[in-house]
């Protein structure tokens, strides 16, 4: 029997769902033995105190140790980004497949895109990567297939939302008549939390009166203090802004209720070349989003009628945000758990 190592020591948030979905589907692949190497296998990594390179080196050493321990025929890395440079420098002990989060073909032409293109070329030349999976990545996969060796297959997979019924007991504690605007998930500069807070400080009083703004999620370590200070400044400068910040775990059924009962999902991401499970959650709930104008996210919002894709300014909150229900239903129908797990496990089992 062939052994496949599924490596994800940072298995929090969105990626915990990936692990669960792959684990549920793995029982159908009787010719393979799956070993899941997750955060609980290594305890507290304490990555917050490490430099960028120390963090990457630590994760790479964990990967090598897992390969030495389990001797897999093939490894699936669920987040390639943190391991790209160590793999280029030191190679891989086993053939690989991986999810590539950053879809640089969705970036505008320029130096950043060119550098990422050459880094990808070097990675694919240096490392035996058999399959790269891209979330909602049909366009990027066509580009990469055209430009790179056939040794690596580029496979688009869905980026689904958890399949859960909404908690009937949940309700927002919001004054009647206010539009509920929800920012959900990890709070960081990459997700535009600072851009959002800056825009809120400058909205017109009439706009503030009509809206309630909810942040629900944990601030990422490098941004934690700055986020708290920015919230305090906003409350001091604009007491008319209805701002609620909740840093807590939210089970899937309550998360779905929050999305269904919200009127608008805020996605002011500054790195729109990533896919986002938040977009799938909003679509499943039938709630429109306000997202970035460019990149993968901006294109998905426009093509699937999921809301509006504009620069986040104070005036953006005054624009009507509509959902195209037919296009949204088609988007949800494509982005299923099966369309995530099956292409991945089919590919890695055929390689092992």
């Amino acid at each position: 029997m062939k052994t496949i190592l599924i490596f994800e020591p940072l298995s929090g948030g969105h990626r915990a769902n990936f692990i669960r979905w792959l684990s549920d589907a793995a029982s159908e692949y009787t010719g393979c033995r799956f070993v899941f190497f997750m955060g609980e296998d290594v305890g507290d990594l304490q990555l917050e105190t490490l430099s960028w390179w120390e963090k990457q080196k630590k994760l790479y050493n964990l990967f090598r140790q897992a390969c030495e321990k389990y001797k897999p025929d093939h490894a699936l890395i669920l987040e390639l980004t943190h391991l790209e440079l160590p793999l280029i420098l030191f190679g891989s002990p086993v053939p690989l497949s991986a999810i590539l989060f950053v879809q640089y073909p969705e970036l505008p032409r320029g130096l950043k895109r060119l550098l990422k293109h050459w880094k990808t070329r070097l990675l694919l030349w240096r490392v035996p990567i058999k399959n790269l999976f891209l979330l909602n990545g049909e366009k990027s996969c066509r580009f990469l297939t055209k430009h790179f060796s056939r040794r690596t297959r580029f496979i688009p997979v869905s980026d689904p939302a958890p399949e859960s019924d909404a908690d009937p007991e949940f309700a927002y504690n919001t004054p009647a008549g206010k539009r509920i605007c929800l920012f959900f998930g990890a709070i960081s500069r990459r997700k535009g939390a600072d851009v959002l807070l800056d825009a809120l400080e400058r909205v017109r009083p009439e706009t503030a009166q009509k809206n309630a703004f909810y942040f629900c999620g944990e601030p990422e370590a490098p941004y934690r203090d700055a986020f708290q200070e920015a919230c305090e400044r906003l409350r001091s400068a604009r007491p008319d802004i209805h701002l609620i910040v909740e840093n807590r775990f939210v089970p899937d059924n309550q998360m779905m209720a929050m999305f269904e009962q919200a009127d608008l999902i805020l996605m002011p991401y500054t790195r729109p070349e990533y896919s986002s499970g938040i977009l799938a959650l909003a679509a499943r709930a039938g709630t429109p989003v306000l997202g970035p104008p460019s990149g993968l996210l901006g294109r998905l919002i426009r093509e699937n009628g999921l809301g509006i894709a504009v620069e986040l300014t104070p005036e953006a909150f005054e624009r009507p945000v509509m959902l195209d229900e037919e296009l949204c239903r088609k988007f949800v129908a494509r982005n299923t758990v099966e369309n995530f797990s099956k292409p991945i496990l089919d590919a890695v089992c055929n390689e092992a």
Side-chain angles (χ1 to χ4, degrees):
M1 181 175 290
K2 299 169 181 176
T3 298
I4 297 172
L5 171 68
I6 297 182
F7 182 79
E8 180 47 285
L10 305 177
S11 50
H14 194 188
R15 285 174 291 194
N17 290 322
F18 290 173
I19 291 169
R20 185 172 77 247
W21 297 332
L22 291 171
S23 178
D24 290 345
S27 60
E28 301 176 13
Y29 295 81
T30 55
C32 293
R33 168 180 172 255
F34 293 91
V35 177
F36 287 80
F37 186 91
M38 299 180 293
E40 50 263 38
D41 296 313
V42 294
D44 185 4
L45 290 174
Q46 297 183 332
L47 298 178
E48 295 180 3
T49 61
L50 300 180
S51 69
W52 171 80
W53 172 243
E54 288 173 331
K55 178 180 178 179
Q56 296 203 353
K57 189 166 63 172
K58 186 166 189 174
L59 292 173
Y60 178 76
N61 287 335
L62 283 174
F63 175 65
R64 291 194 66 92
Q65 291 166 16
C67 290
E68 291 171 3
K69 180 176 180 180
Y70 298 109
K71 297 179 172 51
D73 300 285
H74 195 85
L76 171 63
I77 297 174
L78 292 193
E79 220 299 33
L80 184 61
T81 304
H82 295 305
L83 289 171
E84 284 181 327
L85 183 56
L87 286 169
I88 289 172
L89 294 175
F90 309 123
S92 172
V94 298
L96 300 177
S97 295
I99 297 177
L100 182 64
F101 277 30
V102 180
Q103 298 186 30
Y104 78 85
E106 296 279 3
L107 290 168
R109 293 185 181 276
L111 180 60
K112 182 177 179 181
R113 174 169 161 165
L114 182 63
L115 291 174
K116 287 188 175 294
H117 181 77
W118 282 105
K119 185 174 77 169
T120 302
R121 182 180 296 278
L122 182 59
L123 177 69
L124 297 179
W125 171 77
R126 182 81 172 87
V127 183
I129 297 179
K130 302 299 184 181
N131 304 286
L132 277 180
F133 307 102
L134 285 80
L135 302 167
N136 284 318
E138 289 81 3
K139 178 180 177 180
S140 291
C141 284
R142 289 194 296 270
F143 176 93
L144 294 168
T145 299
K146 177 181 177 181
H147 285 83
F148 292 113
S149 164
R150 300 294 178 182
R151 187 178 75 169
T152 301
R153 292 191 301 167
F154 304 96
I155 302 173
V157 297
S158 70
D159 190 4
E163 296 177 352
S164 177
D165 294 328
D167 179 0
E169 301 298 322
F170 175 81
Y172 285 101
N173 182 18
T174 308
K178 285 187 180 288
R179 182 176 67 165
I180 298 172
C181 303
L182 174 64
F183 181 105
F184 189 92
I187 297 173
S188 65
R189 287 190 171 92
R190 178 176 69 82
K191 295 193 174 183
D194 54 336
V195 176
L196 173 55
L197 290 169
D198 179 68
L200 291 182
E201 192 168 342
R202 296 181 289 118
V203 298
R204 295 192 306 140
E206 296 85 350
T207 304
Q209 186 178 7
K210 296 175 183 177
N211 293 278
F213 298 94
Y214 280 78
F215 286 75
C216 185
E218 183 177 0
E220 293 183 353
Y223 181 55
R224 189 173 297 143
D225 292 342
F227 174 69
Q228 292 174 351
E229 291 170 4
C231 289
E232 291 170 4
R233 285 197 304 271
L234 177 62
R235 290 190 176 104
S236 176
R238 294 296 304 269
D240 58 327
I241 298 286
H242 189 100
L243 177 68
I244 302 295
V245 179
E246 296 186 353
N247 179 355
R248 62 186 178 91
F249 171 77
V250 178
D252 285 352
N253 62 345
Q254 189 174 118
M255 178 173 62
M256 186 54 64
M258 294 182 74
F259 275 72
E260 288 184 359
Q261 293 182 33
D263 299 295
L264 181 64
I265 306 301
L266 302 175
M267 297 182 63
Y269 293 10
T270 59
R271 297 290 304 277
E273 66 272 21
Y274 287 76
S275 182
S276 172
I278 299 299
L279 190 63
L281 272 165
R284 183 177 293 280
T287 303
V289 305
L290 190 155
S294 60
L296 172 64
L297 290 178
R299 185 170 59 78
L300 289 175
I301 292 167
R302 288 190 297 272
E303 292 180 355
N304 298 284
L306 303 179
I308 60 172
V310 297
E311 294 288 349
L312 186 64
T313 63
E315 293 72 30
F317 298 110
E318 300 172 17
R319 297 184 56 165
V321 186
M322 304 295 293
L323 191 77
D324 187 312
E325 294 185 2
E326 182 178 356
L327 289 176
C328 179
R329 279 195 297 270
K330 292 178 179 178
F331 179 78
V332 172
R334 292 194 303 272
N335 278 272
T336 63
V337 169
E338 183 181 19
N339 288 341
F340 168 79
S341 56
K342 190 175 188 303
I344 292 175
L345 294 181
D346 282 351
V348 298
C349 287
N350 286 334
E351 293 291 351

